[in-house]
Amino acid sequence: MCGIIGVTGRPDALQLLLQGLERLEYRGYDSAGVVLAEGQGLWRVRAAGGTQSVAQLRKLTEGAPAAAAGIGHTRWATHGRPSEANAHPHVDCSGQLALVHNGIVENVDELRREVLAAGHELRSETDSELVAHLLEDALAGPAAGDLPAAVRQVLAQLRGTLALVVVHAATPELLVAARRVSPLVLGRARSGAALVASDVPALLGEAEETWVLDDDQLAVLRPGACEVQDARSGRPVAPRRLEVAWTLEEAQKGGYPDFMSKEIAQQPEALADTLVGRLHPVEGIGLDEVRIPEEELRRVDKVAVVACGSSYHAGLVAKLAIEHWARLPVEVEVASEFRYRDPVLDERTLVVGISQSGESVDTLQAVRHGRDNGARALVVCNVVDSSLAREADGVLYTRAGPEVCVAATKTHVAQLAALELLALHLAQLRGTLAPKRAGQLFEALAALPDLVAQAVERGPAVAAVAETLLGARDVFYLGRHVGYPVAMEGALKLKELAYVRAEAYPAGELKHGPIALVEPGTVVVAVATRQPLWEKLMANLAEVRARGARVVALASDGDERTAEHADEVLWVPPTEPLFSPLVDVVPLQQLAYEVARRSGRDVDRPRNLAKTVTVE
Ligand code: BG6
């Protein structure tokens, strides 16, 4: 997720670009750049200064030439590490065309081969730069002198998600923008300037009128004019007006009351982005960055998963998936314990470090310990080029974009998706998964973003149930098999957000002691969607209800039998049992959020917690 912006028709275009980038930093910040179209050509400056990238860019542009048009970008890396060379805007070989891009080009390998074969010189590792060279070829061919036509032509070659803004030195006042899934909004300013940006915050206070660019639409911006057309036919279309009455902070929250609810709502997108280009039952998932040779992965005879917090719970799901499909023994350990128990490791062990930040020292030390003892290290991480990513032998990046909230939500769901892909990949390498079954599972994976979206939309039903938990001083979360890690994550969310004592137990364990705590008024939240041990879980619910507990059950849509064993039901769309954590976790996130809000808690910044713990 990146922030892009374009301005034309303003003598102070640079100031508007920089202000817009500062307002879009919540979308990514590992590098930033601008291009100004000032009549004599394009003037470009970029900075890769981490969280200070836009500030550095402001300094670097102090001597910039006057220009009435330009484009800007603040990056959250997905392809290619954070660096000045990978920072946008990217240019073509002539340096006459520049573009900024937010999204993921799925057919990146095919296009890279095509661009290199056409004799272009690549100066970055990014997928976005390829688009600049494709546009250069289009302008040298049938779309000569027609930038909108060139953009339409290249869009037809791209698969994946994109929001693009393109400028050419020959037509310095003209910007062409295009959208497919990644957001773009348009604005017309009082002064007559035309603006385009990833999100509303960049337009606030500048645009008198605002519109949304819809999928497969193209916008042609000139000073005082903004024409929208169908990206295939080029036929003009009426843009969808956007009424904005937000403050800047409200706009950065996308109209949500807080970042927590916004990031819960972003989970379908984070999941879809993490799956883009990886759902290939044949070619495999394609590990990012430094790769681990497939024959080495085939030789692996044990997996050791190390992680903290929500990432640890994702690891517990990975264990079930890898053992079931790849038939590989998996041990999962909280990272802070792993290296102190003198684990048995060798060159056939694969240590999997899971960390959204890539900076948790416990996980970093655990992965180092694994590598120091001969194991190969694969990391599932959300931050390109983070400490963990740099130290691993292989990286599988999640693409959830920056997560502002301390409590993990969208990065957790994205981790689950990446780990399911890893399990299927290992199974295919080891020949333990029949191709037909693999195809079914990849289809089920592809359907998950929509199921998660359905779960997110059911938030109001969860809010109604939250009243049940209000005032509860301790809550049991029960699950079995794949439902148990979900119960653990649900309990952690209630602790983190609402400061309520919540314990997760494998439901079969209750009778060995914990059930002594159950009394009238005890609240039990049960992950009772359909999975292998559902029948036994029903018996466990009967045990706690018989002792006066109030049961809130997650149940698969239409499953009336589960509803008979619960006082309240949260309905969840069904999926493959081992994929169910990606959907089942959503109502538990929402439940914790609703209880926390009703309890007056700061859901974005819970007390005592840090987003990343860089101490042991
Ligand atoms: C904690 C966060 O500090 O670290 C959790 O509050 C997170 O949300 C845990 O799950 C692990 O962080 P990471 O970055 O290693 O996944």
Side-chain angles (χ1 to χ4, degrees):
M1 184 164 83
C2 306
I4 68 177
I5 184 168
V7 178
T8 182
R10 277 284 289 259
D12 60 343
L14 174 60
Q15 290 317 310
L16 217 48
L17 292 173
L18 292 171
Q19 173 186 274
L21 291 179
E22 282 160 356
R23 292 175 171 187
L24 294 173
E25 278 183 302
Y26 70 92
R27 300 178 60 84
Y29 40 71
D30 51 43
S31 61
V34 290
V35 151
L36 296 177
E38 29 87 28
Q40 309 309 316
L42 301 182
W43 187 86
R44 180 172 67 158
V45 168
R46 298 177 292 174
T51 54
Q52 297 309 309
S53 296
V54 177
Q56 281 181 16
L57 188 69
R58 185 174 280 281
K59 263 200 191 354
L60 290 170
T61 54
E62 276 162 5
I71 59 177
H73 187 279
T74 181
R75 185 171 182 243
W76 182 266
T78 50
H79 269 99
R81 65 202 63 214
S83 65
E84 187 177 333
N86 287 335
H88 300 222
H90 286 292
V91 298
D92 66 354
C93 294
S94 73
Q96 294 297 295
L97 176 139
L99 65 79
V100 287
H101 168 234
N102 172 31
I104 298 162
V105 177
E106 183 173 341
N107 52 330
V108 56
D109 294 336
E110 162 202 332
L111 293 176
R112 181 172 287 116
R113 286 193 294 273
E114 184 183 319
V115 161
L116 289 172
H120 292 281
E121 183 200 342
L122 292 182
R123 305 181 190 94
S124 81
E125 305 163 318
T126 68
D127 52 350
S128 309
E129 184 195 353
L130 302 176
V131 182
H133 296 298
L134 292 172
L135 286 166
E136 182 177 18
D137 289 346
L139 286 169
D146 185 343
L147 192 56
V151 173
R152 286 198 301 273
Q153 177 183 321
V154 168
L155 284 178
Q157 297 171 258
L158 302 178
R159 288 204 312 276
T161 61
L162 63 94
L164 273 182
V165 185
V166 187
V167 67
H168 195 287
T171 50
E173 292 189 332
L174 172 66
L175 301 181
V176 179
R179 173 192 177 165
R180 187 186 301 155
V181 181
S182 301
L184 273 182
V185 289
L186 306 167
R188 192 178 60 74
R190 275 180 294 283
S191 60
L195 306 98
V196 57
S198 298
D199 201 356
V200 166
L203 306 185
L204 280 184
E206 300 300 336
E208 195 169 50
E209 289 178 284
T210 45
W211 301 272
V212 176
L213 196 60
D214 279 323
D215 274 357
D216 292 325
Q217 287 185 345
L218 198 108
V220 179
L221 293 87
R222 291 186 178 84
C226 178
E227 180 219 322
V228 175
Q229 53 182 256
D230 177 276
R232 292 191 183 83
S233 64
R235 266 201 305 277
V237 294
R240 183 156 52 91
R241 185 173 288 281
L242 180 66
E243 296 304 334
V244 178
W246 286 334
T247 63
L248 176 57
E249 192 189 355
E250 286 165 342
Q252 288 172 330
K253 291 173 183 169
Y256 290 92
D258 39 56
F259 278 108
M260 172 57 70
S261 52
K262 178 181 180 187
E263 288 170 357
I264 288 175
Q266 283 178 325
Q267 293 185 114
E269 176 191 350
L271 180 49
D273 284 353
T274 300
L275 293 172
V276 164
R278 292 169 166 166
L279 290 172
H280 298 304
V282 178
E283 300 102 74
I285 58 173
L287 296 181
D288 296 295
E289 310 284 326
V290 177
R291 302 175 194 290
I292 300 176
E294 290 192 349
E295 61 275 8
E296 279 192 31
L297 286 177
R298 279 195 189 89
R299 275 205 305 275
V300 166
D301 64 3
K302 177 171 83 169
V303 175
V305 176
V306 292
C308 312
S310 299
S311 300
Y312 168 69
H313 300 149
L316 293 170
V317 175
K319 171 185 172 69
L320 291 165
I322 294 171
E323 289 188 342
H324 180 68
W325 285 318
R327 308 311 296 152
L328 261 176
V330 179
E331 57 190 44
V332 188
E333 188 108 38
V334 290
S336 53
E337 290 293 316
F338 179 70
R339 62 199 178 104
Y340 300 110
R341 68 166 173 79
D342 196 10
V344 176
L345 303 163
D346 64 27
E347 68 288 341
R348 296 186 63 190
T349 305
L350 179 68
V351 169
V352 175
I354 308 169
S355 172
Q356 76 82 17
S357 63
E359 301 300 341
S360 293
V361 169
D362 288 329
T363 308
L364 196 55
Q365 297 285 24
V367 167
R368 277 180 188 153
H369 182 79
R371 298 194 75 227
D372 292 348
N373 286 274
R376 281 280 172 273
L378 189 145
V379 160
V380 173
C381 180
N382 195 50
V383 181
V384 174
D385 211 34
S386 56
S387 303
L388 257 177
R390 281 200 301 274
E391 296 209 12
D393 297 298
V395 186
L396 184 54
Y397 284 117
T398 53
R399 301 167 183 154
E403 188 169 66
V404 173
C405 289
V406 169
T409 50
K410 63 176 184 172
T411 56
H412 176 69
V413 165
Q415 285 172 348
L416 289 169
L419 291 160
E420 300 282 4
L421 284 167
L422 178 62
L424 295 175
H425 185 57
L426 291 171
Q428 288 181 292
L429 289 178
R430 297 163 50 84
T432 55
L433 189 62
K436 183 169 178 294
R437 180 63 178 135
Q440 290 168 347
L441 291 167
F442 276 96
E443 263 174 50
L445 268 182
L448 283 175
D450 181 52
L451 298 184
V452 170
Q454 290 178 38
V456 168
E457 282 148 24
R458 297 180 186 181
V462 180
V465 170
E467 300 292 332
T468 304
L469 270 67
L470 274 186
R473 284 315 307 152
D474 58 50
V475 181
F476 279 96
Y477 280 72
L478 300 184
R480 295 194 74 141
H481 192 263
V482 74
Y484 176 42
V486 177
M488 292 177 79
E489 178 60 12
L492 177 62
K493 283 288 160 294
L494 195 65
K495 288 181 222 175
E496 286 176 316
L497 298 176
Y499 316 151
V500 174
R501 280 176 190 75
E503 285 309 312
Y505 280 99
E509 178 62 12
L510 222 56
K511 53 187 176 294
H512 301 294
I515 199 164
L517 293 173
V518 177
E519 57 192 11
T522 300
V523 177
V524 169
V525 179
V527 182
T529 49
R530 286 298 176 140
Q531 36 78 4
L533 299 178
W534 174 83
E535 286 287 354
K536 293 181 181 300
L537 181 59
M538 292 302 106
N540 301 138
L541 295 188
E543 289 159 16
V544 295
R545 291 186 88 192
R547 290 162 177 80
R550 184 170 184 69
V551 172
V552 176
L554 298 194
S556 299
D557 285 350
D559 183 359
E560 293 308 330
R561 283 195 59 200
T562 302
E564 289 161 15
H565 291 77
D567 299 288
E568 323 255 2
V569 179
L570 296 175
W571 298 105
V572 184
T575 181
E576 282 283 344
L578 285 176
F579 295 164
S580 59
L582 283 95
V583 193
D584 293 359
V585 75
V586 173
L588 299 188
Q589 295 165 344
Q590 293 168 323
L591 192 57
Y593 168 82
E594 293 296 344
V595 174
R597 286 251 298 168
R598 284 166 172 72
S599 311
R601 308 297 190 200
D602 179 346
V603 291
D604 288 349
R605 288 176 295 280
R607 69 185 183 193
N608 308 340
L609 298 182
K611 183 62 186 168
T612 304
V613 178
T614 53
V615 293
E616 274 207 281

